[in-house]
Amino acid sequence: MRRFVMGIAIAVAALFTFVLPADVVARNYSIVPEPAYMDIEAEGEYIVTGKTRIVVNDEAWNPAERFAEDMMSYFGLKKPMHTSKRGKGIKVRTDIFVPAEGYEMTINEDGVVIIGGSEAGIYYGLQTLRQIIVANDGKVPYGFIADEPTFAYRGAHLDVSRHFFSVADVKNYIDIIAAHKLNRLHWHLTDDQGWRIEIKAYPELTEKGSMRKETLIGHGLNPVEWDGTPYGGYYTQEEIREVVAYAAERYIEVIPEIEMPGHSQAALHALPWLGCNEQIVDVWTTWGVTPEVLCAGKETTYEFLEKVLDEVIELFPSELIHIGGDECPKERWAECEHCQAMIKAQGLESEEELQGYLVARIERYLNSKGRRMIGWDEILDGGVTPTATVMSWRGLYGGIYAAERGNDVVMTPMSLCYLNFYQTESREGEGLHIGGHVPFEKIYSWNVYEGMSDAARPHIIGVQLNMWSEYIKDMDTVEIMLLPRIGAMCEVQWSHDRRDDSTIRAKMELMRKFYEVNGWNCAPYYFDFRK
Ligand code: TNX
C-alpha cells in the first residue's frame, strides 16, 4: 500500500518538477543523485546548527555518528554533533516498510525525521540532509523526500598497484564515494607493477613483489625513458582489515581483486616458479600488457592461488571475489610443456580454453568456500559458467551478451566509466593522462539498458566507475578525476530513470560548494562548459 502511495506521489512530483523546476532549485532541494520523490513546501525552514541534536534509537547509532563527524568541518566544530536518545532535533530510525536501502525524510517545525529501511537507508538519508544543509546554509526547507536506489551494485574501483595509495587516502576515497551513495569499493590490489596485499603464506609477494625499480616516464614514446626511482608500497593484513571496517561503517562493501592469470608479473618476480619458463622477471616498470603470465599447467599454480584466496576470504567478508581474468596473452602457454599437457589431459581445444579451465576451477574453489566469482569480460572468451558475474569493460557488448545468457553483470564500459580518461576534448590544463575522453555529459546521458532485451535487464546488477592509476600518482589527482564526474555516475547508478537534463547543472553548482566544504578537489571543466 505504502509503495502504491509512493508511486502516485512520484507521478505527481514528476508533474511539479516539470512545471516548476526553478522553484525546486531556488529552495534548494537540490540533491545528487536525484531522489525518487520530493515535495518541498513553499514556506518554512528548520534551522540545523552544530548544536542540533541527533536523536537515535538503538539500531541507528552508526549512521548518526558518521553524520555527526561528517558535519564537523561544515560547522567548524571541534567535537562531533551530539547524539542522544531523546529530545528534539534530527530523528533517525528504521522501519521495515521502507525499501532496504531507501529512506523517507520529513522536515517540519519539529525537526527532521529520517526513517530508513535499514541502517544503510538512514545513512543515505543523512547524505541527502548533508547536501541540503550545505546548499541552504543550514536552513532546511520544510517538505518530504522518499528515495531508493535503482541499482543494487553501485561501484567505484581503485587501482593501487600502478600507484599506491595510503590507508588514509583510501579512507578519503571511501568518504567521497559514500557521500554519493555508492556501496561497493572494487579494490584492485595486484597487477604487473606491484603486489599490494600481505599474504602470510608467501611473504615474498610483498617483500619482493611490492617494489619496482623505477617507473616509465610519460607515455614512453620516443624516447622511452624511466625515472630511475624505486617505487612501492603495500598494505599489511591489519591495514586491510582497518579499511574493510571503515568502508563497512559507511555501508560500502570492499570487493578485493587478485589478478590471474595475466597482470601477474609482480607475483612472478617474487615467486618465479609460478611462470611457465621460471625465468626471473622484474616487477614491471612499464604500462600495458606483458606476455609474462602465470603458468596454467602446473598444479603448484593452483595451490598458490587457493592459498592466496584462503587469506583473501578471511580478510574480506564480501560474497563476490574478483579474480581479474583480463588481458592474458597466451604466447608463454603455447610453448609450455605443462600448459600443453594440461590442455591434453583436460580435453581442451586451445590456450583460450585453458584460461576458461583455470577460471572455472577457481570459481569452483570460491564456491566451495561460500563465495562467488566476478571477473572482467574476458572470462566470457574461454567459455564462462552460468554462475560467474561478469564485469563488462571492453564495451557494452560483453555485458549485454552475458546478461542475455543469464549471467549477472556489472556494467563498466571504458567509453563511459573510465574516470582515468580525459575530461575534455582539448585536454588543455588536464596534465598527462592515459588517453580517451569521458566528459560529464556523456556519463550523465547514458541509458544503461540500451540495446538490451527485457529478459536481460534484471541481470544488470549495477554500474561501476573505474580509476586506473598509471597516470594518477596522488589522491589530489584522484579527486580531480573523480569530481565532478562521480556526480554524473551516481545519477546513473542511483537515479537511472529520473535524471533530468534541465536541473543537473544547477544541482552540480551546489555540489561544487559541497565538495569545497569537505575539502575535496573538483575539476573545473564541466563548470566552464568545456567538453
Ligand atoms: C585496461 S580494464 C586494463 C587495465 C588498464 C586500463 C587503463 C582492464 C580489465 N584492464 O589494466 O589499467 O585499461 O585504462
Side-chain angles (χ1 to χ4, degrees), residues 160 164 187 189-190 194-210 233-241 256-258 304 307-316:
V160 296
F164 181 68
W187 206 3
L189 287 162
T190 71
W195 183 283
R196 307 278 179 233
I197 171 173
E198 179 193 17
I199 299 294
K200 304 236 193 236
Y202 303 103
E204 303 90 333
L205 287 170
T206 42
E207 279 165 17
K208 297 182 180 167
S210 70
Y234 70 90
Y235 309 103
T236 63
Q237 294 202 346
E238 209 173 313
E239 288 173 322
I240 297 269
R241 285 205 173 89
E257 181 182 354
I258 305 296
F304 165 80
K307 280 196 182 157
V308 168
L309 290 172
D310 285 345
E311 293 188 33
V312 167
I313 284 168
E314 277 296 309
L315 292 167
F316 294 90

Side-chain angles (χ1 to χ4, degrees), residues 421-431 435-442 485 525-526 529-531:
F421 284 8
Y422 286 100
Q423 317 195 36
T424 64
E425 178 98 66
S426 74
R427 303 182 176 183
E428 243 174 73
E430 287 206 54
H437 178 211
V438 180
F440 184 100
E441 291 87 346
K442 190 173 176 190
R485 287 185 292 180
Y525 318 109
Y526 173 69
F529 293 87
R530 274 182 277 170
K531 292 189 183 171

Side-chain angles (χ1 to χ4, degrees), residues 127-321:
Q127 299 317 306
T128 294
L129 184 60
R130 278 173 80 186
Q131 290 184 24
I132 301 177
I133 291 171
V134 173
N136 294 277
D137 296 323
K139 296 184 209 76
V140 181
Y142 292 170
F144 176 75
I145 299 175
D147 202 4
E148 65 175 309
T150 303
F151 289 108
Y153 183 115
R154 304 180 299 279
H157 147 290
L158 183 64
D159 169 9
V160 296
S161 172
R162 277 56 177 271
H163 283 98
F164 181 68
F165 295 92
S166 68
V167 168
D169 283 342
V170 178
K171 287 182 177 174
N172 179 63
Y173 192 74
I174 289 169
D175 288 344
I176 301 176
I177 66 174
H180 292 85
K181 305 188 175 91
L182 273 58
N183 64 356
R184 299 284 189 281
L185 172 66
H186 169 176
W187 206 3
H188 187 79
L189 287 162
T190 71
D191 213 304
D192 302 310
Q193 295 84 1
W195 183 283
R196 307 278 179 233
I197 171 173
E198 179 193 17
I199 299 294
K200 304 236 193 236
Y202 303 103
E204 303 90 333
L205 287 170
T206 42
E207 279 165 17
K208 297 182 180 167
S210 70
M211 253 311 164
R212 60 178 179 256
K213 279 190 206 146
E214 55 185 348
T215 302
L216 185 74
I217 296 176
H219 283 151
L221 304 165
N222 346 284
V224 186
E225 284 183 310
W226 285 265
D227 65 5
T229 313
Y231 185 92
Y234 70 90
Y235 309 103
T236 63
Q237 294 202 346
E238 209 173 313
E239 288 173 322
I240 297 269
R241 285 205 173 89
E242 187 183 329
V243 169
V244 169
Y246 187 89
E249 284 176 347
R250 285 148 188 87
Y251 305 94
I252 290 175
E253 184 172 82
V254 185
I255 298 179
E257 181 182 354
I258 305 296
E259 275 271 20
M260 63 187 80
H263 284 292
S264 298
Q265 195 169 314
L268 289 167
H269 171 74
L271 305 166
W273 50 265
L274 289 171
C276 292
N277 53 23
E278 309 205 357
Q279 267 170 26
I280 311 284
V281 293
D282 281 336
V283 176
W284 215 23
T285 58
T286 302
W287 317 127
V289 179
T290 163
E292 306 305 337
V293 304
L294 302 182
C295 174
K298 284 185 272 190
E299 278 305 313
T300 46
T301 305
Y302 296 90
E303 225 168 83
F304 165 80
L305 291 172
E306 289 177 5
K307 280 196 182 157
V308 168
L309 290 172
D310 285 345
E311 293 188 33
V312 167
I313 284 168
E314 277 296 309
L315 292 167
F316 294 90
S318 76
E319 193 184 12
L320 287 174
I321 303 288

